[in-house]
Amino acid sequence: MGVDLVSGSIIEPLAGRRWDAGELRRQVAVRIRSYRAQGFEAGDRALILFASRLEFFADLFAVWRLGGCLVPVDPSLTPFEIGNLAQATGARFCIVADDTRPESVAAIPGATVLHTSEHGTADVLDLPKTPFPRLDDDVLVIFTGGTTGRPKGAVLTWRAILSRVVTLGELHGTADFRRSLCLLPIHSIPLVSNCIFPLLSGCDLYVVPPFQPQVLMKLGDVLDRHGITYFGSVPSMWNLVFRAAASPRPGSLARIHCASASLPKDTWLDVQRWSGIPTVVTCYGTTETASWSVGVRGREVVPESDFIGEPWGCRLQILPAGAEPADGEASRCAAGQSGMVWLAGAGLMRGYLGQPGLTERVLRQGWYLTEDVGYLDDRGQLYVQGRARDEINRGGVKVYPAEIDHVATQCQGTADACAFRVPDELYGENVAIALVLTEPGTATVGRLYRWLESRLARHKMPARWYRVDSLPRTERGKINRESVMKMCESLQPIDLKSALQDAG
Amino acid sequence: MSDPAHARENLVRFLGTIARPGQSLDGVADDVNLIDAGVIDSLAMVQIIVHLEQGHAVDLLAGGIDPAELSSIGGILRAIQRSTP
């Protein structure tokens, strides 16, 4: 299963590479033979240290056909973070490409290294018959945070993936997706929604490295040249597109999705104008629900602030904070009343890898607590107003402040640290950090910068730094990030440039 | 266009304002891809475009500029030079 369903092609438009379904199956077959010979067995996990290229998909399907679970890793993570993920997953294998950094591989000393392009003879093979993946096999672990401390990886089963693929296909048909372009990172949930769904639905998939300026600034041309019918987006990329890219010609483009953060009404209208199509859909979903879960169903989309739409093959309810699904229908919020958004359906994750406590907190009686705040109107349409969780959405890439706190406080001279979100014109939100230093002085700041730089991926590095005497905490000792953010609004940020010069 | 050294100095000063925190343009060669080198983020490209539009009347939508050019100091300087009457 899996690759057997693929009948379209995978294309790297920038590199001019293309595999049709037959070539993909052959690539999967040689990997199955090669990886099995190197000891890969059902139940194994493999970290994959590259993305956005044809080979990624051959490895994905090969691992699945071997009964394994693939763990996509953001290639921009530091070796420190990669080592941490490897330890948390217990992965016996890592899959690398020619351009994988040696230091990333060295960060996983116990793993067998599988090279994606070294499989001996390239003879044509049929796919071997295997019983995998089975419906309740774990097939993907997608990390949503905590790469520095206790990684938070959502475990998705084949049932979850397949249910989303089937449901989305039934709801929307596949015509709009017949030539899908993925502009988003495929080590995270766009892998399911923007890649696996179109591929397993018989569509062609075009993959490019995420947020590539050369593509975004020529987006209209790229869409025209390849006859793209669908692509997914995040709000922050539209600034660049509007500034630099000509609109596509009418004809091929049929649908655009926008996810990850709310699309302001004016931007939403601008996307419709730029694209020349009405079907610009703001989708709502989470890694924990495997894909898009809520959105508009029709083709004529009327932009409204906070508006999302109706469930896409899942169940949805709004409960007051602190209420549980088991409390019954009477506890649900009335139309127009804000509360916490809960989702249920076959697409739900199994749980967070190795974190039963965290899993139990969000998975309750078959429902998932999104920790987003929203309401249903009297037509049953969802509006999402904000979120109760701490994550920072930096240009569509989620950053979890607790992991930055964790790394910062391990550096000598830092007594306490709190990362928090600040508004940012370019990214929507960016990362700031408030520090309590035991050794005041710019040299300490410079040393901490180098410490963080060697342990955090670039997008997690705080853009603004503040020095404070203490951090406000709740009675239970938990950092109150909103209070820290407000406290720092009146403070002057640290002059990082001077601090780094002083630190040499 | 002002003399090349002055133009470069102005550009580097501007790029310094949009560089990632802690990143310096000191010693960065003209042909270095600033995004690949981690000096600026890919989405910061929009700030370079605004700078070119407002400071140098460069119109990207009018064509003639390869987006890849805007990833390096040398490329941006060439784009400015071409658009200057």
Side-chain angles (χ1 to χ4, degrees):
Chain A
M1 285 291 279
V3 69
D4 314 67
L5 304 175
V6 175
S7 57
S9 299
I10 310 177
I11 301 103
E12 284 181 44
L14 296 186
R17 302 176 67 215
R18 179 186 198 104
W19 285 353
D20 63 15
E23 177 61 15
L24 177 64
R25 275 196 284 274
R26 196 187 69 80
Q27 294 282 347
V28 173
V30 294
R31 281 166 175 77
I32 289 173
R33 186 181 59 176
S34 168
Y35 295 168
R36 189 181 273 151
Q38 294 176 73
F40 197 102
E41 295 174 355
D44 271 325
R45 295 193 185 109
L47 267 65
I48 184 162
L49 301 184
F50 63 93
S52 300
R53 51 203 285 185
L54 308 184
E55 287 80 0
F56 177 95
F57 295 94
D59 285 312
L60 171 79
F61 291 122
V63 166
W64 285 1
R65 286 294 296 257
L66 285 164
C69 176
L70 195 74
V71 186
V73 175
D74 176 357
S76 73
L77 293 184
T78 62
F80 173 78
E81 292 170 300
I82 291 172
N84 206 24
L85 292 187
Q87 200 169 16
T89 56
R92 290 207 306 133
F93 295 87
C94 74
I95 307 176
V96 303
D98 289 338
D99 56 357
T100 303
R101 293 171 297 165
E103 58 270 30
S104 299
V105 181
I108 319 172
T112 299
V113 178
L114 305 174
H115 201 291
T116 190
S117 57
E118 291 173 3
H119 306 294
T121 56
D123 49 342
V124 179
L125 297 168
D126 284 335
L127 277 175
K129 290 197 188 316
T130 73
F132 305 113
R134 296 168 302 199
L135 273 180
D136 289 309
D137 285 346
D138 298 342
V139 293
L140 275 178
V141 176
I142 296 188
F143 283 99
T144 64
T147 53
T148 63
R150 292 194 69 191
K152 188 177 161 192
V155 179
L156 299 177
T157 60
W158 179 231
R159 183 190 299 276
I161 306 282
L162 204 54
S163 76
R164 295 318 296 157
V165 169
V166 171
T167 304
L168 292 169
E170 284 178 353
L171 275 174
H172 304 299
T174 55
D176 283 0
F177 300 92
R178 64 189 182 278
R179 284 185 296 279
S180 293
L181 170 66
C182 183
L183 302 163
L184 305 174
I186 67 169
H187 58 266
S188 53
I189 199 59
L191 171 61
V192 179
S193 43
N194 287 279
C195 299
I196 294 174
F197 163 55
L199 264 182
L200 295 191
S201 303
C203 305
D204 289 344
L205 173 67
Y206 292 73
V207 287
V208 295
F211 307 124
Q212 194 79 13
Q214 287 93 321
V215 177
L216 297 181
M217 291 164 70
K218 291 279 184 189
L219 189 57
D221 296 340
V222 172
L223 300 176
D224 289 342
R225 195 175 320 132
H226 300 285
I228 299 297
T229 57
Y230 161 80
F231 68 92
S233 68
V234 294
S236 57
M237 66 181 240
W238 285 104
N239 268 340
L240 188 52
V241 174
F242 293 150
R243 283 275 178 190
S247 292
R249 287 194 300 269
S252 60
L253 188 63
R255 171 184 286 265
I256 298 172
H257 285 184
C258 191
S260 172
S262 71
L263 192 60
K265 181 183 172 184
D266 288 346
T267 310
W268 198 340
L269 289 164
D270 286 341
V271 176
Q272 288 183 322
R273 271 192 288 270
W274 180 87
S275 63
I277 59 168
T279 316
V280 176
V281 179
T282 294
C283 301
Y284 176 72
T286 66
T287 304
E288 291 83 353
T289 58
S291 183
W292 310 303
S293 300
V294 189
V296 172
R297 287 198 185 181
R299 299 201 71 80
E300 297 299 321
V301 180
V302 180
E304 268 185 84
S305 294
D306 302 333
F307 176 53
I308 303 292
E310 58 194 301
W312 285 358
C314 66
R315 288 172 292 145
L316 162 68
Q317 63 176 326
I318 310 290
L319 295 176
E324 295 266 338
D327 295 343
E329 279 197 27
S331 69
R332 290 185 185 176
C333 292
Q337 185 190 351
S338 293
M340 308 303 291
V341 180
W342 292 76
L343 296 168
L348 284 195
M349 66 171 178
R350 183 188 297 286
Y352 295 118
L353 185 68
Q355 301 221 48
L358 191 58
T359 302
E360 196 186 348
R361 195 170 69 79
V362 298
L363 285 186
R364 314 287 292 176
Q365 302 100 39
W367 287 83
Y368 168 61
L369 170 61
T370 65
E371 299 184 278
D372 287 315
V373 178
Y375 66 91
L376 294 172
D377 70 3
D378 50 13
R379 303 165 300 159
Q381 302 285 317
L382 175 68
Y383 290 71
V384 172
Q385 300 158 295
R387 54 181 186 259
R389 55 182 184 264
D390 286 330
E391 71 186 25
I392 300 164
N393 189 339
R394 185 181 181 275
V397 178
K398 305 289 168 59
V399 177
Y400 292 81
E403 61 181 292
I404 301 172
D405 303 351
H406 175 76
V407 177
T409 50
Q410 288 180 326
C411 181
Q412 185 194 344
T414 308
D416 210 351
C418 172
F420 57 95
R421 73 174 76 106
V422 287
D424 187 281
E425 198 179 328
L426 187 61
Y427 297 101
E429 293 178 359
N430 212 331
V431 185
I433 190 165
L435 299 162
V436 180
L437 302 175
T438 55
E439 300 168 18
T442 52
T444 311
V445 175
R447 189 169 62 236
L448 177 60
Y449 180 90
R450 302 292 177 215
W451 176 268
L452 293 182
E453 191 183 35
S454 66
R455 287 164 175 79
L456 296 175
R458 284 175 187 168
H459 61 273
K460 300 175 190 170
M461 284 295 285
R464 267 181 258 169
W465 297 46
Y466 297 91
R467 184 178 298 142
V468 296
D469 294 331
S470 63
L471 291 171
R473 289 179 183 271
T474 64
E475 284 177 358
R476 290 157 60 196
K478 195 177 168 196
I479 283 183
N480 186 333
R481 293 187 199 278
E482 292 298 316
S483 299
V484 176
M485 184 175 78
K486 286 191 174 65
M487 184 173 81
C488 290
E489 278 173 2
S490 59
L491 299 178
Q492 190 69 24
I494 294 171
D495 180 353
L496 206 52
K497 197 170 179 181
S498 301
L500 288 168
Q501 279 167 353
D502 288 355
Chain B
M1 190 181 177
S2 57
D3 75 272
H6 185 62
R8 188 183 191 286
E9 190 183 324
N10 282 341
L11 176 62
V12 167
R13 191 177 309 123
F14 159 71
L15 292 172
T17 66
I18 64 166
R20 289 177 49 240
Q23 293 296 314
S24 166
L25 283 121
D26 295 345
V28 174
D30 281 9
D31 60 348
V32 167
N33 185 309
L34 300 172
I35 296 169
D36 292 348
V39 178
I40 62 170
D41 279 329
S42 56
L43 287 178
M45 191 64 84
V46 75
Q47 290 166 296
I48 296 176
I49 294 168
V50 171
H51 174 77
L52 293 178
E53 286 173 346
Q54 295 180 350
H56 302 278
V58 173
D59 184 354
L60 260 87
L61 290 175
I65 294 179
D66 178 354
E69 248 188 333
L70 302 185
S71 303
S72 68
I73 293 171
I76 300 170
L77 286 171
R78 283 192 294 278
I80 293 171
Q81 197 169 26
R82 276 203 309 275
S83 70
T84 306

